[in-house]
Amino acid sequence: MPLPDAEILYKQLVEHIKADSEKRFALVGIHTGGVWLAERLHRELSATQPMAPLGLLSVSFYRDDFDKIGLHAQVKPSDIPFAVDGAHILLVDDVLQTGRTIRAAINELFDYGRPASISLAALVDRGDRELPIYAQFTGAELRLPKEKILVFNRDNNGRFSLSLKDKKVIANGKEDLPA
Amino acid sequence: MINRNPQLDKNRVLQHLLTTEGLPASILLQILDTAESFVGVTERDVKKVPLLRGKSIFNLFFEPSTRTRTTFEIAAKRLSADVFNLNIAVSAQSKGETLLDTVDNLSAMNADMFVVRHVQSGAAHLIAKHAKPGIHVINAGDGRHAHPTQALLDMFTIRRYKKEFHNLKIAIVGDILHSRVARSQIHALTTLGVPEVRVIAPKTLLPSKVERLGVHVFHDMNAGLRDIDVLMMLRLQKERMQGANLPSSEEYFKNYGLTPEKLRLAKPDAIVMHPGPMNRGVEIDSMVADGNQSVILPQVTYGIAVRMAVMSILAGHQV
């Protein structure tokens, strides 16, 4: 099936976030795709307002499927270089599906402090939620077959794209939890 | 192909950590990379992650060692595991229970992991061979044989300060003969591609044919320290000083103790390491131990992250 252009979805996502002028967000990207998005978003928002340094989150140590699949070979470190206590945090991820990655990310954030609020931005919301998680900002909502994984990519020029792959094909090499 | 390494399963996945010998570089690097992420955890206000929640880890210390046991205990607790410390030298064994009976009993209590310290070389291997599938064994030091987590935390420290392994000259100084740490260090360093590993010691404290491990031998410390990037000092045990191996601790310090003058022979940015506890004035001068080239205390800190990495990699692999 034809997939939307990730660059257009990104622009829509940015517009939605900019339209919410009430909160001055501190950005936290979730490895790996969420970090790519958050890096660009952070640059863009920094041009018009003072921003806290970008936070990076790896939910590897907070996953609920560790017993089944263990640790990924390449665990990336988390780094939250601002005070979480009292901050309005905007979590950024590429694809939202089950909500389990976001649940793990929220748990981890609370080990850094007590934020005033946590909002969620996702480039694509696939639905299929297994937990009561809601994204305040999305680029698009797509309904896709469950056996397909929506892969978010960034090329050498920093340009975003989306592709669909079979779950079975990438089950051994997939970096993150099914979103 | 027959899998001869008892640490790896048929898919070459780590099931136990018993020695650095024979482990591929990919697994050593996986442990070091995972430990990098755990360093961040140990620097937070909440120094805990839920990864091993519900797992039972038994510290089986058949030989006393407060320091090592404590670091394993901290590592396990920071992973949210339940930790049980058993000082077996004064309990079951003194009542006549055999080593394997003890292991069977603890297995029946649904243990997930054993951390084993034993005075006999090979004890951890024996327990790993005997333990039920699904129970992982970490060797926390066995006789003169191996101390793999100490070697791995040393590798982690070297990589943190020197970034790469392939361009380093590294010297291990002291009692190589009786040191399980030195053996594990040598295997890890050569596997990770360190081009020149030197051992510096009197003949009485070197194993025969040590060159077979791929090291260069020096008896003169001044010659051995030239152009060195990393100095790994070893603890000299008191019984070696009193026994036939050495004339006196003063004599040893004169020839093999690391003083500021001797350290100046190494590269100006050389780092000094020691597995602890140190004998100040025997193998190392306090000026060096507390000096700005010493990374001895960071080694202790990194030891927690490395042990967290080993435990979580093992616990994540189901049989």
Side-chain angles (χ1 to χ4, degrees):
Chain A
M1 66 178 286
L3 288 171
D5 184 329
E7 286 291 325
I8 294 172
L9 296 189
Y10 170 74
K11 287 188 179 71
Q12 287 170 1
L13 182 67
V14 173
E15 290 313 312
H16 292 157
I17 294 167
K18 281 182 174 171
D20 187 344
S21 56
E22 284 177 22
K23 285 175 188 160
R24 188 150 286 176
F25 288 120
L27 296 190
V28 175
I30 300 173
H31 279 298
T32 300
V35 169
W36 295 342
L37 284 164
E39 282 170 348
R40 198 153 138 192
L41 190 54
H42 190 267
R43 274 198 304 274
E44 212 153 313
L45 296 179
S46 297
T48 55
Q49 58 176 289
M51 297 279 294
L54 178 64
L56 313 176
L57 213 52
S58 165
V59 298
S60 303
F61 301 148
Y62 289 77
R63 301 167 62 118
D64 59 16
D65 57 356
F66 171 72
D67 260 1
K68 296 186 186 75
I69 60 169
L71 271 186
H72 283 302
Q74 291 289 323
V75 178
K76 296 186 172 69
S78 295
D79 180 25
I80 308 291
F82 57 83
V84 165
D85 273 329
H88 290 286
I89 288 176
L90 179 61
L91 270 177
V92 183
D93 206 1
D94 48 0
V95 181
L96 171 64
Q97 189 173 1
T98 63
R100 288 174 189 272
T101 298
I102 306 304
R103 194 276 311 169
I106 293 171
N107 279 10
E108 181 164 11
L109 274 178
F110 272 86
D111 281 351
Y112 284 88
R114 184 179 182 277
S117 69
I118 300 177
S119 305
L120 175 62
L123 189 73
V124 175
D125 182 352
R126 288 187 58 172
D128 297 330
R129 214 73 84 239
E130 293 170 5
L131 298 172
I133 301 278
Y134 165 74
Q136 282 80 357
F137 310 103
T138 52
E141 292 184 10
L142 295 179
R143 294 291 169 263
L144 300 164
K146 278 194 172 180
E147 65 277 10
K148 298 283 184 185
I149 289 180
L150 183 60
V151 181
F152 177 61
N153 290 306
R154 182 175 69 170
D155 68 16
N156 292 338
N157 300 318
R159 200 178 155 76
F160 298 144
S161 63
L162 291 168
S163 58
L164 268 188
K165 290 197 175 152
D166 280 329
K167 227 172 207 173
K168 280 184 286 187
V169 174
I170 59 171
N172 295 328
K174 181 78 172 102
E175 175 78 12
D176 291 319
L177 271 174
Chain B
M1 191 179 78
I2 299 167
N3 173 25
R4 293 181 185 281
N5 191 330
Q7 304 180 93
L8 305 175
D9 69 9
K10 62 182 188 316
N11 298 317
R12 310 276 298 161
V13 168
L14 196 68
Q15 287 297 323
H16 308 289
L17 182 67
L18 308 175
T19 167
T20 52
E21 186 176 2
L23 281 186
S26 58
I27 286 183
L28 300 184
L29 291 170
Q30 181 196 3
I31 294 168
L32 302 188
D33 290 343
T34 308
E36 282 290 347
S37 292
F38 281 120
V39 170
V41 173
T42 64
E43 290 168 350
R44 300 190 319 209
D45 284 349
V46 178
K47 301 173 184 60
K48 224 171 159 67
V49 293
L51 206 59
L52 265 59
R53 205 158 52 98
K55 303 283 185 197
S56 298
I57 297 180
F58 285 78
N59 277 337
L60 311 183
F61 276 60
F62 297 89
E63 179 188 71
S65 166
T66 309
R67 262 168 79 109
T68 304
R69 199 209 68 212
T70 306
T71 56
F72 273 105
E73 183 175 349
I74 293 169
K77 284 183 172 171
R78 288 191 178 163
L79 292 166
S80 303
D82 296 316
V83 189
F84 305 91
N85 291 311
L86 284 93
N87 189 357
I88 296 171
V90 294
S91 58
Q93 299 254 296
S94 60
K95 293 175 187 164
E97 189 173 79
T98 70
L99 176 65
L100 297 182
D101 283 341
T102 303
V103 169
D104 284 342
N105 276 301
L106 296 173
S107 300
M109 295 176 202
N110 297 323
D112 294 292
M113 198 176 293
F114 294 136
V115 178
V116 180
R117 162 68 68 98
H118 203 287
V119 71
Q120 294 294 330
S121 300
H125 276 80
L126 181 68
I127 291 174
K129 198 173 159 193
H130 182 78
K132 282 197 304 193
I135 298 181
H136 306 281
V137 177
I138 300 175
N139 184 5
D142 60 334
R144 295 182 187 184
H145 172 241
H147 196 350
T149 58
Q150 176 66 47
L152 283 162
L153 78 88
D154 294 334
M155 300 307 112
F156 186 83
T157 308
I158 291 168
R159 196 173 71 166
R160 275 242 152 176
Y161 285 91
K162 298 293 174 189
K163 310 300 178 208
E164 302 279 354
F165 292 102
H166 68 264
N167 55 356
L168 297 178
K169 290 191 175 88
I170 296 182
I172 305 170
V173 186
D175 184 2
I176 314 286
L177 178 64
H178 302 96
S179 175
R180 53 194 172 207
V181 173
R183 263 174 200 72
S184 291
Q185 287 170 336
I186 291 167
H187 290 303
L189 290 168
T190 50
T191 301
L192 290 170
V194 174
E196 188 169 340
V197 181
R198 301 178 189 173
V199 292
I200 307 174
K203 282 181 184 163
T204 50
L205 294 181
L206 274 175
S208 63
K209 297 174 182 154
V210 67
E211 297 87 349
R212 285 186 184 175
L213 296 176
V215 297
H216 302 262
V217 176
F218 288 80
H219 301 301
D220 175 4
M221 193 166 178
N222 291 338
L225 288 185
R226 280 186 211 289
D227 295 326
I228 282 293
D229 297 284
V230 178
L231 266 130
M232 304 170 90
M233 304 305 296
L234 296 174
R235 175 178 166 77
L236 188 69
Q237 290 174 359
K238 288 214 168 73
E239 55 266 35
R240 312 298 170 216
M241 295 180 240
Q242 291 153 359
N245 296 112
L246 292 168
S248 70
S249 60
E250 292 79 12
E251 185 77 7
Y252 181 83
F253 183 66
K254 192 177 146 202
N255 290 314
Y256 296 98
L258 185 60
T259 59
E261 295 75 35
K262 289 205 194 91
L263 179 56
R264 275 196 280 277
L265 297 168
K267 285 187 182 165
D269 62 347
I271 55 169
V272 176
M273 301 168 64
H274 192 296
M278 288 181 283
N279 290 308
R280 289 168 183 263
V282 178
E283 69 258 1
I284 192 163
D285 187 299
S286 276
M287 297 267 284
V288 175
D290 304 328
N292 58 11
Q293 287 173 263
S294 167
V295 297
I296 294 167
L297 289 177
Q299 278 180 272
V300 178
T301 306
Y302 298 151
I304 307 280
V306 168
R307 288 174 174 124
M308 288 169 79
V310 171
M311 286 176 173
S312 53
I313 288 168
L314 290 176
H317 292 312
Q318 301 302 302
V319 176

